[in-house]
Amino acid sequence: MRLSAKITVLAAALLSLSFQLMRAQEGESFLRNLQGRDTALVGDRLRYGASLGAVEEGTSFALPDLQAASNDSVTVLSPWKMDTLRLRKARKGRPAEMDLEISLDLTCFEEGTLALPAIPLLRRLPSGETDTLLFEGRSVDVRLMPVDTAGYVPHDLRGQVKYPLTFRETLPYAAGILLLALAVVLICLLVRRRKARREGLGTVEAPHIVALRKLEAYRGGKLWAPEKQKQFYSGVTDVLREYMAARYGFGAQEMTTAEIFALLSKTDLQKALYDEMKLLFETSDFVKFAKLTVSDEENAKVLPQAIRFVTETYQEVLDKEAAQAAAGEKEA
């Protein structure tokens, strides 16, 4: 229901007020066939109502309850609706006005001429005056669908009509299946590619290759500058700790310098390499914890010493493997 400004619909109970109301004959109501036919057939939906012109803003209405008028012949299908057809703005000395239309939907289930009840409206003006507007009822001629009784032949109910399937109807389904197949193929390719990448990443490199590659990253960087010495020594010794853990099989990452070299002293590590690495680790501890500043000459020796330790200790492994292979061939 579309209303503007202060137009309101009062309760239908206002019609039962006991004071005397002045009646004003407003003319006929309207009746429209919503099916667009000029003849009303049994079961057609009809719109029944009245039009109000030049209604002042602030006017209120109470509508009768026609639901009680429903019977076997006429059935009310909807409550009252009020629509604003036209709105005229307020001018000097004149309030805003509008044209309204009130209506409800009904239907008829009995053939013949049926009389619809009159439409009384209780109107309350903005000034407080109250009166009743009465719209004359309408009659509707309801008919049945005409049947040619002369040539009429009864037939049984027809079965459901089956139409052939066209290419246009199957095209969306074919396109959907094709897109689904492409999506499955793409998912399979992505899964296979990711699996291959994981397998490639999972390839274990030799410990000395990993250590030498990480140590090479410190070459030429001049990280032994006084403000960067802590980062330089920590990085180099961390690489050597990881290599020792892989080469000798103990957790060098979590050990102190004393613990690491206590274990290295029990291995077949050459004494010169042992002393060189011990001095390197002790210097690193002083740089990290005592803020020792090392000269450039000593810093330049760190990286070659670490690389020599990795290559020589791993060469021992290669020599042992070669000797075992040669011994196996002799025995064979």
Side-chain angles (χ1 to χ4, degrees):
M1 180 170 62
R2 297 176 299 164
L3 296 177
S4 62
K6 299 181 179 178
I7 295 295
T8 58
V9 179
L10 298 180
L14 289 177
L15 289 176
S16 62
L17 293 176
S18 60
F19 53 80
Q20 295 294 327
L21 301 179
M22 182 176 65
R23 294 180 175 270
Q25 198 73 12
E26 286 293 316
E28 292 186 352
S29 55
F30 66 79
L31 184 65
R32 301 178 188 140
N33 192 338
L34 298 183
Q35 277 65 229
R37 291 192 286 264
D38 56 357
T39 303
L41 301 179
V42 171
D44 279 356
R45 195 180 185 101
L46 307 175
R47 180 157 294 169
Y48 181 49
S51 299
L52 300 169
V55 179
E56 293 184 6
E57 183 180 11
T59 303
S60 55
F61 295 91
L63 307 174
D65 183 11
L66 294 187
Q67 294 282 351
S70 297
N71 51 46
D72 295 338
S73 299
V74 179
T75 301
V76 178
L77 302 177
S78 68
W80 286 106
K81 296 177 289 186
M82 182 175 289
D83 295 328
T84 303
L85 304 180
R86 184 180 179 185
L87 176 63
R88 290 179 289 276
K89 296 182 179 180
R91 298 180 181 178
K92 293 182 179 180
R94 298 185 59 183
E97 295 180 346
M98 60 199 72
D99 296 339
L100 302 177
E101 182 179 276
I102 59 169
S103 63
L104 50 72
D105 294 345
L106 52 83
T107 187
C108 302
F109 294 106
E110 186 177 334
E111 182 184 10
T113 301
L114 304 176
L116 300 177
I119 304 176
L121 290 180
L122 179 64
R123 178 177 64 180
R124 178 173 292 172
L125 299 175
S127 61
E129 298 179 4
T130 305
D131 61 359
T132 301
L133 305 179
L134 183 62
F135 293 87
E136 294 182 1
R138 300 294 298 271
S139 61
V140 55
D141 186 16
V142 183
R143 302 179 184 179
L144 293 172
M145 183 66 71
V147 179
D148 184 7
T149 56
Y152 174 73
V153 178
H155 296 280
D156 196 2
L157 295 176
R158 293 186 178 182
Q160 185 176 3
V161 178
K162 296 182 180 179
Y163 294 96
L165 199 61
T166 63
F167 175 74
R168 179 178 294 181
E169 293 173 337
T170 59
L171 183 60
Y173 298 98
I177 294 175
L178 181 61
L179 291 175
L180 181 61
L182 290 175
V184 172
V185 171
L186 288 175
I187 291 173
C188 293
L189 291 176
L190 290 174
V191 171
R192 183 177 299 178
R193 184 177 179 181
R194 181 174 295 181
K195 184 178 180 180
R197 184 179 297 176
R198 287 179 179 177
E199 291 177 354
L201 293 176
T203 303
V204 180
E205 293 182 318
H208 73 288
I209 298 297
V210 177
L212 292 175
R213 184 174 64 249
K214 292 182 178 180
L215 290 173
E216 189 66 24
Y218 291 95
R219 188 184 299 277
K222 294 185 178 181
L223 293 176
W224 58 75
E227 65 274 8
K228 297 182 179 180
Q229 284 187 3
K230 182 177 181 180
Q231 178 183 356
F232 174 69
Y233 277 90
S234 297
V236 173
T237 53
D238 286 344
V239 173
L240 293 175
R241 286 171 183 271
E242 292 178 5
Y243 171 73
M244 291 176 183
R247 169 66 177 82
Y248 296 103
F250 57 82
Q253 293 94 331
E254 293 81 18
M255 292 182 177
T256 63
T257 298
E259 293 172 341
I260 291 174
F261 286 91
L263 293 176
L264 286 178
S265 63
K266 300 177 183 179
T267 65
D268 55 356
L269 181 64
Q270 298 177 11
K271 187 177 185 308
L273 280 178
Y274 177 88
D275 294 339
E276 198 171 62
M277 285 298 100
K278 185 176 181 181
L279 178 61
L280 173 59
F281 272 73
E282 290 175 348
T283 303
S284 175
D285 291 342
F286 280 115
V287 171
K288 289 188 291 184
F289 304 112
K291 297 182 180 181
L292 173 68
T293 301
V294 186
S295 64
D296 292 344
E297 294 180 359
E298 294 179 357
N299 290 331
K301 299 177 182 178
V302 171
L303 200 58
Q305 290 173 354
I307 294 175
R308 182 167 56 253
F309 173 77
V310 173
T311 53
E312 291 189 12
T313 53
Y314 196 78
Q315 186 61 40
E316 295 176 1
V317 176
L318 298 178
D319 294 341
K320 289 182 180 180
E321 292 179 352
Q324 291 176 357
E329 292 179 357
K330 290 181 180 180
E331 293 178 358

